[in-house]
Amino acid sequence: MSAAFALALSVAAPAAVAAPAADPHGLSCEKGKHNIDDYTGWALCTNVGSEPITFWVHLICGWSPDADGEHIRLEPGDSGQSTAHCSSLGSGIGEIQVRSS
């Protein structure tokens, strides 16, 4: 294979896509954007562990500052939702994460 052909392959190859962040230990979560508002994100989580846990949604907001949702404390087996909003002056939600303490 010639050097030019190898270079063409490396330029044409798609960039690697990062795997979605795993849910924090002890949580099983669904994440998404609001149906009619691309600037609002949410995380609906269930505590699948044996200890109480507090979680919140964290939005990566592109051009505007990142946003954190309300902190939700869940007992084992309980479910709850945290919601956050990116500034409408920015580029919207780039990524939705769940954080816990």
Side-chain angles (χ1 to χ4, degrees):
M1 173 172 9
S2 74
F5 182 71
L7 179 61
L9 281 179
S10 66
V11 171
V17 176
D23 295 337
H25 180 72
L27 290 173
S28 175
C29 302
E30 295 180 38
K31 303 175 276 280
K33 292 180 186 178
H34 191 278
N35 289 339
I36 57 173
D37 178 6
D38 284 340
Y39 292 86
T40 300
W42 53 268
L44 174 61
C45 296
T46 301
N47 181 344
V48 295
S50 59
E51 305 269 332
I53 192 166
T54 299
F55 82 95
W56 60 95
V57 68
H58 177 78
L59 304 180
I60 308 298
C61 293
W63 296 342
S64 58
D66 295 346
D68 285 329
E70 61 275 18
H71 291 214
I72 306 295
R73 180 179 167 87
L74 299 176
E75 296 296 324
D78 286 350
S79 297
Q81 180 172 313
S82 177
T83 304
H85 309 277
C86 291
S87 168
S88 60
L89 300 176
S91 56
I93 298 171
E95 184 179 345
I96 301 172
Q97 301 174 348
V98 176
R99 298 197 174 166
S100 67
S101 61

